Amino acid sequence: MQNRPPKSWRDAVEHEINIPDQPILATDKVRYVGEALAVIVAESRYLAEDAAELIEVDLEPLPAVATVDMALATDAPKVHDDLKSNVVARLRIRKGDAAGILASGVRSIRHRFTNHRYLAMPIECRGVVSQYDSRSDSLTIWSSTQVVHWVRREVAVRLGLPESRVRCIAPDVGGGFGVKGHVYPEDVLIPYLARRLGRPVKWIEDRHEHLLNSTHARDDRHDVEVAFDDKGRILAIRDNFVKDSGAYTPVGIGAPSNTIAHLLGPYDIPHLEAAATVVVTNKTPNAPYRGSGRPEGVFVMERLMDLVARELGMDPVELRLRNMIPPERMPYSVGIPYRDGVPVVYDSGDFPAALHEAINALGGLEAIRAEQRAAWAEGRFLGLGVASFVEGTGAGPFEGATVRIDPSGEIFVATGACAQGQGHETIFAQVAADEWGVTPDQVTVSIADTGSIALGYGTIASRSAVNSSSAIRKASAVLRQKVFAIAGHLLECAIEDLELRDGRVSVKGVPTMSISLAEIAQAARPGWDHRRPPGMSGGLEVTEYFEPPTVTWAYATHAALVEIDRITGAPIIRKYVVVHDSGVLINPKLADGQVLGGVCQGIGGGLLEEVIYDQDGQLLTGSLMDYLVPTASDMPPIEVIHRETPSPLNELGVKGLGEGGAIAPPVAIANAVCDALRPAGYEIFATPIRRSEILKAIDKILG
Amino acid sequence: MTELHKIRVEVNGALVERTVEPRRLLSDFLREDLGLTGTHVGCEQGICGACTILLNGRAARSCLIFAVQVDGAKVMTIEGLSNSGAVRHLQDLFSKHRALQCGYCTPGMIVVAYDLLQHLPSPTAQEIRDGMSAALCRCTGYVGIIEAVTEAARERVAAVDCATPVHMTSD
């Protein structure tokens, strides 16, 4: 595991964690369809596949554990024989007294919600190439990973090499979204083979293997009770949920603890009890995918909001507004710990404003309701769906940056982030350019290469804009002191009299007295005839690590106007609005891209994408013909509205935004569908949203 | 299955002669035998469209075709379309509209868009959406892709409507 939760978390959360190790190749027991049990190395893929055909596997079928209910049955076969049961983790967080409130006779409802299994599906599958140098006993690994430093560490540990003899590079990875955010068996196996064979070894995953063997996501089931008063104030929530982790749990309790930490969302709810049970089954391992536990919790909470509103005969928008934390209460302490062990405190923002803005972008609540009534009168089904959520972003524990000024005056930046299309090189160049008063094209950025920076964490958890940018700023600040000291020495003036402008250090108010960064870098060179102040070390290079105090809290409201196609049952999204606040935007165009791409994946997850297993644990959706990914035709008109409330937790004021877009679409659309079909009393308790069920509701209305 | 066949193919305007196994996929032939790695492979199930090339002038999935099947045919890959300048403007529009993030789908997307505009000179908005659904993108939500192709289509119509080529201004 990359990190076990810190002591402060372990002290604050009731927990029991027994995460089983995942073997590089299955031995003795194969635990899911797709688990690798042999490896073939050949000079071409065609020969390797021929050889695979020749392998005869002598397997004895064991009873399958294909669902969480099968896993939790008292006589359940054990997926891992060395564990006491199929439960690999239990977590429980409480604030206030939810049980007491629910037992006190106040109004309450209880429901069961299911988030189905779906997955990231980048268009480029995974791949690992490794080359061994026998003279230096060192390995170079090119892996399509989001976490090069973690891969390096794992390979070094498993193969008994010092980390300095392992280099991992992840250039131009074709999409990630979390599925490439942890170490896979192939990341270790391929370097092992390269070293053993003394030849470069390449492994490229095909799509069928990707569906079988790259991690899946979501897949949990919640039993929830919610207590509320007649005015629509939510008083308490109790949520017991079970997460189907598949056969292994490569990223531990990350997703379920996210589900708990994000359950209460932007609402002021005094009492909470949330408990997660993570079970292993005979399915592909489950690991974080864009949102990682948040879409699951947000589905539960935002469906509950609509269900409570229905109980009270109140508009769901009004119910949300009555429960939302007002801006004057920011920063707001939720009263539960985050996964980094720090108490959850929403750092900044205006939740009700985002909700209002989203509704207004759809024409305003009164107009929407009038149109809905008119539609119903014509026998059409039109509905409004809203989903508001918060999102802890920019998670620690750290990211570093090396900033160097070459004798040419060019700025070089290296950081541990790994891009898969987000535009990291662009935004890091922007941040460095601002720090040094140069243009972005004068900055060279190196990412996703353990050879460029000693320590790194990687790109997961909407963290790179926050952590890498802050590290670049921090390293630049330290390096600037040296630059100014040399400039003061050369210009024979006090450091306080200097300023940085257009790539030059000049005397304030005397622009003619200036010196370029290139000249300073030349003066700083180690060796004869340097021109540094006495006692100063040579070179212009600084590495600093940014360790965020905790996560920054982004938030958003998604709103969808949906009309149901009466013939097919298809929910047609007439317009989809995202009002999103991830603090200061470094590059608004790239931010749009992150949100839009996320929404597309969320729409897919809500309406199209589904991993299906049969009762024997056999995967039934092993191709893109069975697993439906949204196409251009599936995308509705989307409006993205950014709010920019700076985070007080870092100097740039940025919050993360990689995942937010994918969190809310399933529930925003579900709420809209239920709203459209209110005349039938139709409610959705499970994703994906099924046209067959919608058609039944329509039949009920039309008789 | 492993007996070799000699094939002669025109690839990007140049005649290529190679011996291949009959089972060799055209996508592998292009990428590995000819080094034309611009043709990407995303699913080998004919769904994602990353491997789209032009076969005798029409878009085709190179992952669903054996190399022996293109004996005597004309194949145009993204390299050929790029180097000839045929898709230069589409590429610029993809850049302008942020129609890519990771870029893995992009070669196939460009070929699909080129084919669409060649055969539907003035497509409707719906025709563009449906046509571009021949390739999957997992990063962008297709918004920039649709904008780029829409602008290219609009410019073509404008160019056809005028007697002389119009000066393309970016809005």
Side-chain angles (χ1 to χ4, degrees):
Chain A
M1 236 190 296
Q2 172 108 317
N3 264 99
R4 74 174 187 151
K7 184 173 183 309
S8 50
W9 183 93
R10 300 198 305 271
D11 291 344
V13 178
E14 293 173 48
H15 68 280
E16 183 190 328
I17 300 173
N18 299 297
I19 303 293
D21 278 340
Q22 181 171 0
I24 304 293
L25 291 172
T27 52
D28 302 333
K29 190 171 183 178
V30 177
R31 293 187 175 82
Y32 66 93
V33 174
E35 182 169 17
L37 48 78
V39 60
I40 292 157
V41 184
E43 292 196 335
S44 86
R45 171 189 174 190
Y46 290 76
L47 277 179
E49 297 208 5
D50 287 345
E53 293 289 319
L54 299 176
I55 294 181
E56 279 187 33
V57 184
D58 183 14
L59 289 173
E60 177 192 343
L62 299 172
V65 179
T67 66
V68 291
D69 289 327
M70 291 164 91
L72 291 171
T74 47
D75 57 346
K78 285 201 281 186
V79 176
H80 293 272
D81 299 315
D82 52 339
L83 297 182
K84 277 186 296 183
S85 73
N86 290 321
V87 174
V88 294
R90 290 183 199 276
L91 314 173
R92 183 184 297 276
I93 284 178
R94 298 170 212 259
K95 76 157 179 166
D97 179 17
I101 299 292
L102 282 159
S104 69
V106 294
R107 293 182 76 159
S108 68
I109 53 173
R110 62 194 305 166
H111 288 290
R112 169 171 280 194
F113 297 96
T114 304
N115 290 287
H116 74 296
R117 184 175 271 242
Y118 57 106
L119 57 119
M121 197 75 79
I123 301 300
E124 182 181 45
C125 295
R126 292 186 296 125
V128 183
V129 178
S130 186
Q131 181 169 339
Y132 177 65
D133 180 355
S134 61
R135 292 170 305 157
S136 59
D137 191 21
S138 63
L139 280 162
T140 305
I141 305 156
W142 293 265
S143 173
S144 64
T145 185
Q146 301 172 219
V147 285
V148 287
H149 288 85
W150 186 5
V151 169
R152 180 184 67 179
R153 187 169 75 240
E154 203 71 27
V155 169
V157 168
R158 301 277 174 164
L159 303 190
L161 287 168
E163 286 197 19
S164 57
R165 291 198 198 161
V166 180
R167 180 181 176 197
C168 183
I169 312 166
D172 285 331
V173 171
F177 320 117
V179 73
K180 299 171 183 173
H182 62 273
V183 178
Y184 280 88
E186 294 89 351
D187 285 314
V188 178
L189 181 61
I190 303 305
Y192 164 80
L193 291 169
R195 188 170 179 227
R196 173 154 170 189
L197 299 171
R199 294 181 64 176
V201 177
K202 172 168 92 169
W203 168 74
I204 304 294
E205 183 186 58
D206 71 22
R207 184 60 63 186
H208 182 57
E209 290 168 330
H210 185 82
L211 279 149
L212 281 171
N213 217 346
S214 285
T215 49
H216 299 169
R218 318 297 188 228
D219 202 354
D220 65 6
R221 188 179 71 196
H222 299 249
D223 286 301
V224 192
E225 294 164 89
V226 53
F228 50 94
D229 66 18
D230 291 335
K231 291 178 180 159
R233 287 276 302 164
I234 308 288
L235 305 172
I237 289 184
R238 181 161 59 193
D239 179 9
N240 284 302
F241 67 97
V242 188
K243 185 153 192 98
D244 184 340
S245 156
Y248 304 99
T249 309
V251 190
I253 49 134
S257 54
N258 277 343
T259 304
I260 293 174
H262 293 78
L263 189 64
L264 295 181
Y267 308 112
D268 179 30
I269 297 172
H271 303 277
L272 169 72
E273 184 179 330
T277 303
V278 182
V279 303
V280 281
T281 60
N282 293 125
K283 292 185 196 163
T284 298
N286 185 334
Y289 155 46
R290 208 170 200 168
S292 179
R294 298 173 183 87
E296 296 93 309
V298 171
F299 180 78
V300 169
M301 189 68 206
E302 290 302 280
R303 278 274 53 227
L304 279 177
M305 281 288 165
D306 278 33
L307 288 160
V308 169
R310 221 85 85 214
E311 288 285 321
L312 295 168
M314 190 182 285
D315 196 290
V317 174
E318 174 60 27
L319 184 89
R320 282 178 175 78
L321 288 170
R322 287 191 186 187
N323 287 283
M324 265 184 183
I325 299 156
E328 57 272 19
R329 289 186 63 190
M330 300 298 256
Y332 173 91
S333 176
V334 177
I336 59 172
Y338 200 67
R339 194 153 53 96
D340 55 13
V342 180
V344 172
V345 177
Y346 300 156
D347 50 346
S348 64
D350 187 339
F351 303 153
L355 175 54
H356 283 299
E357 215 168 334
I359 298 298
N360 290 339
L362 288 176
L365 194 55
E366 276 183 33
I368 296 167
R369 293 301 177 205
E371 192 184 352
Q372 182 179 40
R373 282 190 297 273
W376 280 338
E378 293 169 15
R380 293 185 298 118
F381 302 105
L382 180 74
L384 167 68
V386 171
S388 300
F389 65 92
V390 296
E391 183 195 3
T393 63
F398 75 91
E399 198 63 82
T402 296
V403 176
R404 181 170 76 220
I405 302 176
D406 291 334
S408 63
E410 293 270 315
I411 314 285
F412 172 85
V413 172
T415 177
C418 305
Q420 304 86 39
Q422 299 92 330
H424 284 168
E425 293 94 333
T426 304
I427 65 158
F428 297 152
Q430 285 181 256
V431 170
D434 283 353
E435 289 296 314
W436 292 99
V438 299
T439 53
D441 62 341
Q442 290 170 273
V443 181
T444 299
V445 177
S446 171
I447 53 175
D449 183 354
T450 62
S452 292
I453 185 162
L455 300 171
Y457 204 80
T459 293
I460 54 168
S462 300
R463 65 188 305 280
S464 294
V466 174
N467 286 280
S468 283
S469 303
S470 298
I472 291 165
R473 187 172 164 87
K474 192 176 173 189
S476 295
V478 174
L479 184 57
R480 207 153 41 232
Q481 292 175 6
K482 191 170 183 180
V483 165
F484 274 44
I486 296 170
H489 179 66
L490 295 176
L491 295 170
E492 296 177 345
C493 67
I495 291 169
E496 301 77 53
D497 295 335
L498 294 173
E499 63 181 357
L500 186 62
R501 183 179 289 179
D502 299 332
R504 300 183 73 84
V505 179
S506 48
V507 178
K508 286 176 190 165
V510 193
T512 51
M513 277 191 72
S514 75
I515 183 165
S516 71
L517 289 175
E519 288 169 296
I520 296 168
Q522 285 155 21
R525 285 176 111 150
W528 296 324
D529 296 334
H530 72 75
R531 295 189 291 153
R532 304 188 301 269
M536 180 183 278
S537 61
L540 285 184
E541 178 173 323
V542 165
T543 299
E544 284 287 328
Y545 292 92
F546 175 73
E547 299 164 85
T550 184
V551 288
T552 57
W553 285 89
Y555 63 95
T557 289
H558 289 210
L561 202 57
V562 170
E563 183 163 351
I564 309 292
D565 183 312
R566 277 176 48 182
I567 306 298
T568 65
I572 309 297
I573 304 168
R574 292 215 325 219
K575 187 172 177 188
Y576 196 98
V577 174
V578 178
V579 180
H580 187 271
D581 190 341
S582 51
V584 174
L585 296 177
I586 298 171
N587 186 314
K589 278 271 192 185
L590 290 175
D592 278 348
Q594 288 297 301
V595 175
L596 292 168
V599 168
C600 182
Q601 291 183 2
I603 290 172
L607 295 175
L608 299 168
E609 302 178 34
E610 184 178 17
V611 176
I612 303 171
Y613 282 90
D614 71 10
Q615 289 296 298
D616 294 325
Q618 176 65 48
L619 180 70
L620 302 181
T621 47
S623 82
L624 289 181
M625 284 167 278
D626 311 299
Y627 186 97
L628 303 181
V629 171
T631 67
S633 296
D634 296 310
M635 285 300 283
I638 303 174
E639 182 177 356
V640 179
I641 300 168
H642 293 289
R643 302 174 59 80
E644 290 190 70
T645 315
S647 171
L649 299 184
N650 60 73
E651 291 180 8
L652 292 160
V654 296
K655 304 180 181 185
L657 56 68
E659 296 168 274
I663 290 174
V667 68
I669 300 165
N671 282 343
V673 168
C674 297
D675 187 52
L677 296 172
R678 251 193 291 155
Y682 178 62
E683 300 292 355
I684 291 171
F685 297 101
T687 57
I689 299 158
R690 296 191 192 282
R691 296 177 186 192
S692 53
E693 299 296 320
I694 292 172
L695 286 173
K696 279 185 212 160
I698 292 175
D699 285 348
K700 193 170 155 188
I701 298 169
L702 301 179
Chain B
M1 199 160 60
T2 52
E3 68 191 89
L4 297 177
H5 289 251
K6 191 172 194 176
I7 58 171
R8 289 159 60 93
V9 197
E10 190 190 307
V11 179
N12 298 334
L15 194 63
V16 171
E17 277 190 29
R18 289 285 191 284
T19 48
V20 294
E21 288 183 26
R23 62 178 175 173
R24 190 152 191 79
L25 295 177
L26 178 56
S27 49
D28 286 340
F29 174 74
L30 293 170
R31 288 179 54 84
E32 293 173 15
D33 297 358
L34 305 185
L36 296 170
T37 53
T39 297
H40 288 178
V41 174
C43 71
E44 297 179 311
Q45 295 159 350
I47 304 293
C48 82
C51 69
T52 304
I53 48 111
L54 296 181
L55 179 59
N56 294 328
R58 285 312 305 254
R61 313 285 209 209
S62 62
C63 76
L64 294 186
I65 300 168
F66 293 115
V68 289
Q69 291 176 276
V70 300
D71 187 17
K74 289 183 182 179
V75 170
M76 184 68 82
T77 69
I78 186 67
E79 287 90 347
L81 289 169
S82 291
N83 294 340
S84 71
V87 293
R88 176 60 196 268
H89 190 54
L90 264 176
Q91 290 167 324
D92 288 344
L93 290 172
F94 266 54
S95 174
K96 173 185 167 188
H97 290 284
R98 306 290 203 278
L100 64 152
Q101 286 178 26
C102 83
Y104 196 78
C105 73
T106 311
M109 280 288 173
I110 294 275
V111 177
V112 167
Y114 177 81
D115 180 66
L116 175 78
L117 295 172
Q118 286 294 304
H119 296 92
L120 272 180
S122 56
T124 64
Q126 190 62 43
E127 283 170 335
I128 290 174
R129 279 182 180 278
D130 291 347
M132 292 313 295
S133 294
L136 297 179
C137 169
R138 196 61 165 161
C139 294
T140 62
Y142 303 102
V143 176
I145 294 169
I146 298 303
E147 286 172 0
V149 178
T150 302
E151 183 169 334
R154 200 168 57 223
E155 288 174 351
R156 286 177 80 94
V157 173
V160 169
D161 285 349
C162 299
T164 54
V166 291
H167 175 63
M168 306 291 183
T169 53
S170 57
D171 50 22

